[in-house]
Amino acid sequence: MRTAVVVGAGMAGLASAGALSRAGWQVILLERGERVAASPTALVLWSNGRRALDSLDPDGGWSAIAAPLPDGGVRRPDGQWLVEPRTRVSNGAGPAPAVVHLEDLYDALVAGLGDRVEIRTGFTVTSVRTGRRHRPVVGDGRTEIEADLLVAADGIDSPVRRALAPESVAVGSGFAAWQAVIPAYRVPKLSAEQKSGGETLGAGYRFVSIPLGERAAGRGGVYWVATAAGAPRPEPPATQLALLRRWFADWHPPVSDLLEATHAEDLVPQEVRELRPLPRAYGFRSGPGGVVLLGDAAHAMPHHLGQGACLAFEDAATLRSLTAEASPGEPLAAAVEEYSRLRRPRTTSVVRQTRRMSAVVQARGRLALRARDAALNHMRPRILGGSAPGAADWIPPD
């Protein structure tokens, strides 16, 4: 029986554990927290993310929980258009971008785990052991678990990555972010144009709103994200929400209305960090198998392009394809190295585009803002994530 240990029960870990189990692996899924739970926010699934999910679990019913991503255009704080919305025309190239509530996504991923996955919560990895002659081992100071394959899906502070690629360090990205979902019964009255959501860019500030559709988490609503250049705020959520209302008070409708409809308990502040440099490799041989880095453990980046989760699902789909038939020994060890060869160039390219977009989002000063506005008019994105050349064009491996 082929065995795998997946560290981290977030989106990437759940997707990987489910895919491996459906391919015949016996999986132990380790979660540091006391339960597997989603943040009460939402996620944009670009075409590559939807293709990856379909590849991981064709019967996952993703379309039932996702709502179409409308093109709300991009504005300045005074309401002037930088990029006017357009009617989306399908080109038959693949699934259209969509938005999904994280609670719905987690429910679907957990439902797809199957009976070959054992979940252990309250397990904090404190030791990692690898070597040429023995299988990878992780421990929490009380228990050690070894397996043919170790999947590190444990986020930007991954202890597994620190053990194998200590050169890659988590650093601040230079801005703070906040997310929230306003349930449908609290959404303010919006005009037909405002219901499409959209994006607004100021001098170092950004606000994005997206309708979630009627089915999201059983209650629909509006998902919004705000970012501001600078360090994360230390104040409690209620104080941070008051600051957001003040910072965005003069922005065009419905920005202030959406912030007024948000409650402090809806707010999810984020410390936005990234890995610099990226790990030298994403796959490491160990005995008859090895270790792979996946998701934020491998390529955490600012969320300007909204590609972090989509790349994590790509990672999981690639790993599933390479290991579906690989037996412990040279075939599995070679698959681990091939995973690194395929994934590192792809993610490096998207991270590079994300960092370029950071300059767009954080632009300040009259000349910088003028240059940003001209660049946006040339790129004509639906929201900024749609402006990354090739980012959403990925196709799952056979």
Side-chain angles (χ1 to χ4, degrees):
M1 174 66 71
R2 298 177 299 170
T3 59
V5 170
V6 178
V7 183
M11 289 180 286
L14 290 169
S16 301
L20 289 171
S21 71
R22 287 188 292 275
W25 289 75
Q26 193 69 38
V27 182
I28 297 177
L29 177 59
L30 303 177
E31 167 56 34
R32 178 177 56 188
E34 294 303 321
R35 62 191 183 95
V36 176
S39 173
T41 59
L43 172 71
V44 172
L45 289 171
W46 296 102
S47 297
N48 54 312
R50 297 196 68 181
R51 290 190 193 97
L53 284 173
D54 287 338
S55 173
L56 287 164
D57 185 3
D59 300 321
W62 311 112
S63 296
I65 62 173
L69 178 67
D71 185 353
V74 184
R75 296 177 183 262
R76 291 168 46 171
D78 61 5
Q80 180 178 332
W81 289 111
L82 292 173
V83 182
E84 293 192 37
R86 295 167 292 171
T87 301
R88 185 177 186 276
V89 178
S90 176
N91 58 13
V99 60
V100 59
H101 198 292
L102 284 191
E103 292 176 2
D104 294 333
L105 182 60
Y106 268 62
D107 287 347
L109 291 171
V110 170
L113 290 178
D115 57 8
R116 291 179 181 269
V117 179
E118 175 192 349
I119 302 176
R120 298 188 189 180
T121 58
F123 193 107
T124 300
V125 172
T126 58
S127 64
V128 182
R129 192 166 72 248
T130 61
R132 291 177 55 189
R133 298 185 177 181
H134 60 79
R135 301 194 299 172
V137 179
V138 292
D140 67 348
R142 298 167 297 177
T143 305
E144 288 192 336
I145 306 173
E146 68 175 72
D148 300 312
L149 178 65
L150 172 60
V151 180
D154 47 348
I156 191 171
D157 293 313
S158 167
V160 180
R161 186 197 65 247
R162 285 200 300 266
L164 297 174
E167 74 280 359
S168 187
V169 179
V171 300
S173 293
F175 72 99
W178 299 262
Q179 299 182 63
V181 169
I182 307 172
Y185 69 89
R186 267 201 272 124
V187 173
K189 185 175 179 59
L190 303 175
S191 68
E193 181 180 89
Q194 293 168 351
K195 288 180 180 178
S196 295
E199 178 163 6
T200 306
L201 292 176
Y205 294 86
R206 179 189 188 194
F207 191 92
V208 180
S209 65
I210 304 172
L212 286 177
E214 297 179 357
R215 293 190 299 262
R219 57 183 180 272
V222 171
Y223 167 55
W224 63 257
V225 183
T227 61
R233 305 294 305 195
E235 298 90 350
T239 305
Q240 294 190 45
L241 182 57
L243 285 171
L244 289 170
R245 289 170 175 167
R246 187 174 74 199
W247 292 341
F248 293 93
D250 296 330
W251 286 37
H252 67 84
V255 174
S256 293
D257 297 327
L258 292 174
L259 288 171
E260 285 298 326
T262 303
H263 292 178
E265 58 268 25
D266 302 325
L267 196 67
V268 181
Q270 290 186 310
E271 180 183 8
V272 183
R273 297 179 293 158
E274 59 188 288
L275 291 179
R276 286 183 179 261
L278 293 179
R280 66 187 186 278
Y282 292 166
F284 306 84
R285 286 191 179 219
S286 182
V291 183
V292 296
L293 307 179
L294 192 148
D296 281 351
H299 43 71
M301 68 190 82
H303 58 228
H304 300 308
L305 297 182
Q307 278 288 342
C310 294
L311 289 181
F313 294 140
E314 287 185 24
D315 293 342
T318 303
L319 181 65
R320 177 206 57 79
S321 177
L322 294 173
T323 61
E325 304 296 334
S327 57
E330 181 58 26
L332 179 56
V336 166
E337 291 187 335
E338 180 68 0
Y339 169 83
S340 184
R341 187 190 72 81
L342 291 176
R343 293 307 299 159
R344 199 176 185 285
R346 161 69 174 163
T347 58
T348 298
S349 174
V350 177
V351 168
R352 189 180 299 119
Q353 293 179 66
T354 299
R355 289 173 180 167
R356 284 199 293 264
M357 191 58 69
S358 291
V360 173
V361 173
Q362 299 185 59
R364 293 181 174 184
R366 185 170 58 186
L367 293 179
L369 291 173
R370 189 175 298 168
R372 179 202 68 189
D373 295 351
L376 283 174
N377 187 59
H378 174 71
M379 292 185 295
R380 299 193 61 80
R382 52 195 293 117
I383 63 174
L384 289 189
S387 64
D393 295 341
W394 176 87
I395 302 296
D398 295 330

